[in-house]
Amino acid sequence: MLIGIDDTDSNEGMCTTYLAALLAEELKAFGVVNGFPYLVRLNPTIPYKTRGNAALGIHFSMFDENPETKRDLISFVTEKINEYSDLSCEKTNPGAVFIFDGACESESLRLLLYDFFKKAVTDVIEIEEAAAILNQFESEFPDSVFHFSLKNGRGLIGALAVCGAMLNPGWESTYEYLAYRLPKNWGSNGGPERFVDPESLISVDQKTTPETWDTIDYDKKTKPFPVCVPGGNDPVLFGIRGNSANAVKTAAEFVVSEEVERFQIFQTNQGTDAHLISINPTNPINSINSIHSVSEMQPLHSYILEGTVDSKAETIEGGHDIFKLKDSNGTLLECAAYEPTGNFRHIIRELIPGDEIRVYGSFKNETLNLEKIKILELADDFKLDNPICFNCGKRMESAGIGQGFRCKKCKTKADSKIEIHIPRKIRPRYYEVPPSARRHLSKPLIRYSKEDLEK
């Protein structure tokens, strides 16, 4: 059976991952958890998300699948959702989906929920669409598909999506080790500030990179910043992301911190670029992962596209850098590197008109918020200067308005200024925002293969 849960946390506290970790342990009274719980990140641009827009799932085998045991299990899970949901928050709208035995083997359900999962990661879904799917399959499998929701039930979208992920395990996955604080230490309970020794995190980073990533941000001006330690009131103490369950578990063993209540390893789609839609004018048809042109871009979606820099970056109030990109159809797109992206903005400021680049980012307010770029080809950069005397090698001076240039010493003359090549400070390659500014889904360059970097 599958259990999908979403939207129990809030901006002020709690965390759906904690509830999933708790359930993964306590559900052992009913059966066996298969593999690791799932942590699926959905479309990162959704405005009504609480924090990271993650849905949680548990793939489970029951000891006893009779109707009474099913009811007991559903009741147990829903009671936990009631207990651990921050219902005082307007954005918190919990939802849970339960899919048992025969329904799990339905090919039509599996395929439909896989499409729903992919759409939830890249697109915008309304509650009505999730409700329609649930109504369809609750009618088709009345003893095998159930749902539960509180308030407006928006969490049903994520709950269904993570079920689609669990039914279709072929997608690219990574892992995250999450350690949780003792409940008395949670910020919402007035507990002390988190303690995770930063030196131990630097050691983790040095010993386990490239199998783990985004533990430390060295881009900060003052000192290395522990990206893996949150700052809010939620129960999470720290999280280590990596390519395998063994990598994150090994890394966590080096962390020195306050006492940990529990930990859980999750299988996830973090660090995979699964949220990006390709803009490719040569594609024969549009699809969920591809469109033809910039003119088809929609707000609250994320894209990859290639184009030509049309204007140098302008630094606006707040330290944000904005430039215009032109696609192959001549359509202009505003691209932005916002202040939190730190030194990444220095790269953006070095771009000049004519540079060919590929950009990755989310589209909002008619602007692409950059996550990374690849410089494909650099334009030649020149400046105009006075000509050089071919006799003495010194620069000529103006001979007067409309009279060209002359060398005072040698009396040589020239008609106009000359172009001087300016060496570029950047080169064709990938550049990315620092770890502290990276979206959960954005694929860090450390995860790219040599072949990927050359594409």
Side-chain angles (χ1 to χ4, degrees):
M1 65 162 293
L2 310 175
I3 304 172
I5 303 172
D6 192 19
D7 216 11
T8 67
D9 61 348
S10 74
N11 297 97
E12 289 74 34
M14 249 315 286
C15 181
T16 310
T17 69
Y18 180 80
L19 175 57
L22 191 71
L23 286 173
E25 180 181 322
E26 297 189 355
L27 283 175
K28 291 176 182 176
F30 292 88
V32 177
V33 175
N34 299 317
F36 298 103
Y38 288 71
L39 191 170
V40 169
R41 298 284 177 184
L42 308 179
N43 184 343
T45 67
I46 296 298
Y48 42 71
K49 67 182 180 181
T50 45
R51 293 196 298 276
N53 205 16
L56 281 297
I58 298 173
H59 187 194
F60 191 70
S61 294
M62 296 178 64
F63 294 139
D64 180 2
E65 295 188 5
N66 68 59
E68 185 176 343
T69 305
K70 286 182 184 179
R71 287 193 294 271
D72 288 344
L73 185 145
I74 292 172
S75 177
F76 177 80
V77 172
T78 55
E79 285 174 9
K80 290 295 180 182
I81 292 173
N82 269 298
E83 181 181 353
Y84 286 95
S85 295
D86 187 358
L87 299 177
S88 64
C89 177
E90 181 183 356
K91 289 184 175 181
T92 302
N93 297 281
V97 173
F98 304 84
I99 302 178
F100 291 88
D101 40 66
C104 291
E105 298 170 5
S106 165
E107 185 73 359
S108 62
L109 184 147
R110 182 182 71 81
L111 294 175
L112 179 60
L113 289 193
Y114 187 49
D115 285 342
F116 188 86
F117 159 55
K118 290 187 291 184
K119 185 176 181 181
V121 176
T122 59
D123 207 343
V124 179
I125 298 178
E126 300 299 332
I127 302 171
E128 292 75 16
E129 185 172 344
I133 291 174
L134 284 166
N135 288 337
Q136 174 187 339
F137 287 111
E138 284 178 340
S139 297
E140 187 174 343
F141 303 100
D143 298 319
S144 297
V145 179
F146 306 89
H147 79 275
F148 167 82
S149 64
L150 295 170
K151 297 168 67 178
N152 73 20
R154 186 176 285 119
L156 290 173
I157 297 171
L160 263 182
V162 75
C163 287
M166 290 187 285
L167 283 169
N168 297 272
W171 44 275
E172 181 183 2
S173 62
T174 60
Y175 293 82
E176 182 166 19
Y177 179 110
L178 286 171
Y180 300 96
R181 310 182 76 186
L182 297 172
K184 68 177 183 179
N185 289 338
W186 296 0
S188 55
N189 295 336
E193 186 178 342
R194 284 175 180 80
F195 170 70
V196 181
D197 178 32
E199 293 300 321
S200 71
L201 295 177
I202 292 173
S203 177
V204 166
D205 189 61
Q206 292 172 343
K207 292 177 179 178
T208 61
T209 298
E211 288 304 304
T212 65
W213 66 86
D214 288 0
T215 303
I216 293 287
D217 184 354
Y218 297 99
D219 192 57
K220 294 292 184 180
K221 293 179 181 178
T222 52
K223 57 183 179 180
F225 177 75
V227 181
C228 66
V229 180
N233 291 329
D234 61 90
V236 176
L237 179 59
F238 66 86
I240 305 292
R241 297 172 189 168
N243 291 326
S244 68
N246 184 61
V248 297
K249 184 175 184 298
T250 299
E253 293 171 356
F254 295 110
V255 179
V256 176
S257 70
E258 65 184 65
E259 185 177 352
V260 172
E261 184 218 14
R262 69 179 70 242
F263 73 88
Q264 181 63 60
I265 296 174
F266 292 92
Q267 184 174 347
T268 176
N269 61 345
Q270 294 174 158
T272 63
D273 276 348
H275 61 309
L276 295 171
I277 298 168
S278 174
I279 301 180
N280 188 342
T282 63
N283 281 351
I285 58 172
N286 283 7
S287 72
I288 192 171
N289 290 318
S290 175
I291 60 176
H292 286 144
S293 68
V294 165
S295 61
E296 298 173 42
M297 292 173 67
Q298 300 178 53
L300 308 182
H301 293 67
S302 301
Y303 297 97
I304 312 173
L305 72 147
E306 294 182 4
T308 305
V309 175
D310 191 69
S311 67
K312 278 189 67 68
E314 177 187 356
T315 303
I316 63 173
E317 185 178 356
H320 314 309
D321 288 277
I322 314 288
F323 70 94
K324 284 186 170 60
L325 186 75
K326 183 166 60 178
D327 74 359
S328 59
N329 296 317
T331 307
L332 293 177
L333 172 68
E334 194 171 76
C335 300
Y338 291 108
E339 189 278 333
T341 61
N343 290 337
F344 178 70
R345 293 171 300 157
H346 299 328
I347 304 301
I348 299 306
R349 290 169 189 163
E350 291 294 329
L351 296 172
I352 65 171
D355 287 342
E356 301 287 337
I357 63 174
R358 183 186 305 139
V359 293
Y360 301 68
S362 57
F363 188 57
K364 186 177 180 182
N365 298 326
E366 302 299 320
T367 301
L368 192 76
N369 179 3
L370 296 172
E371 298 172 9
K372 56 178 169 270
I373 68 168
K374 183 175 185 182
I375 298 175
L376 303 171
E377 186 174 345
L378 290 170
D380 289 331
D381 196 9
F382 298 92
K383 68 177 181 179
L384 292 176
D385 207 343
N386 293 359
I388 296 173
C389 174
F390 58 83
N391 189 31
C392 68
K394 292 185 178 181
R395 239 172 244 295
M396 296 183 182
E397 296 178 353
S398 173
I401 297 176
Q403 299 182 55
F405 300 85
R406 67 181 178 185
C407 176
K408 270 188 176 183
K409 178 182 177 182
C410 305
K411 310 302 181 183
T412 54
K413 295 182 179 181
D415 293 330
S416 60
K417 288 190 175 186
I418 59 172
E419 290 183 340
I420 297 177
H421 183 265
I422 302 174
R424 302 295 301 274
K425 295 179 181 178
I426 51 178
R427 60 187 180 87
R429 50 160 280 196
Y430 278 99
Y431 295 91
E432 64 183 345
V433 302
S436 57
R438 194 176 351 265
R439 292 194 183 280
H440 297 292
L441 278 166
S442 187
K443 188 171 185 175
L445 298 183
I446 199 169
R447 294 204 64 236
Y448 277 49
S449 66
K450 182 180 178 183
E451 292 75 18
D452 289 335
L453 291 172
E454 291 174 352
K455 287 179 182 177

